[in-house]
Amino acid sequence: MSRNAKINTLLLLAVAALAVLPLVLGLGDHKEEPFAGADAEAETAITEIEPDYEPWFSPLYEPPSGEVESALFALQAALGAGVLAYYFGLRRGRRQGEQRAMAAAEATSVSRDTAEGD
């Protein structure tokens, strides 16, 4: 197994552990919604500290249900991942193209040198 494959395997195991450990350890069992988002947690904390707090503004769009909100969040994450994958793929393709061009230029200069030497 190559060094990169070992690193990738360790990273994959770390991500899996981060996803599974909270479930196995029962983190959040004492809460009504154990895995609520940060916005909901902040709203709960603010309401406990200052019950009369009034928000500065309201959302531009309020999804009709939690499922729609989750779907929109997943779509946003997928689009972001797609943009990042495109960017890194483009950079890698350019780097490979430059390497091929340099190799071709070196091969041309070597063949020209050997032709002149004859």
Side-chain angles (χ1 to χ4, degrees):
M1 186 183 288
S2 71
R3 182 173 184 265
N4 285 342
K6 289 178 185 178
I7 291 172
N8 287 341
T9 302
L10 286 174
L11 287 173
L12 184 63
L13 289 173
V15 168
L18 286 173
V20 172
L21 279 176
L23 299 173
V24 171
L25 297 176
L27 301 177
D29 284 347
H30 63 283
K31 297 181 180 179
E32 186 177 317
E33 293 183 37
F35 299 107
D39 292 345
E41 293 286 329
E43 184 179 346
T44 303
I46 290 169
T47 307
E48 287 175 2
I49 295 169
E50 184 67 42
D52 297 331
Y53 176 76
E54 202 168 306
W56 295 353
F57 58 90
S58 60
L60 296 175
Y61 172 70
E62 188 71 37
S65 69
E67 291 81 13
V68 173
E69 186 176 359
S70 294
L72 290 173
F73 182 76
L75 178 65
Q76 178 185 2
L79 287 172
V83 168
L84 284 175
Y86 174 78
Y87 172 74
F88 286 119
L90 185 67
R91 283 192 52 190
R92 182 174 182 171
R94 285 184 179 170
R95 190 174 342 114
Q96 287 177 347
E98 289 172 0
Q99 289 173 349
R100 287 183 187 144
M102 290 183 69
E106 287 177 12
T108 303
S109 67
V110 167
S111 65
R112 197 176 317 139
D113 291 343
T114 56
E116 289 175 0
D118 287 340

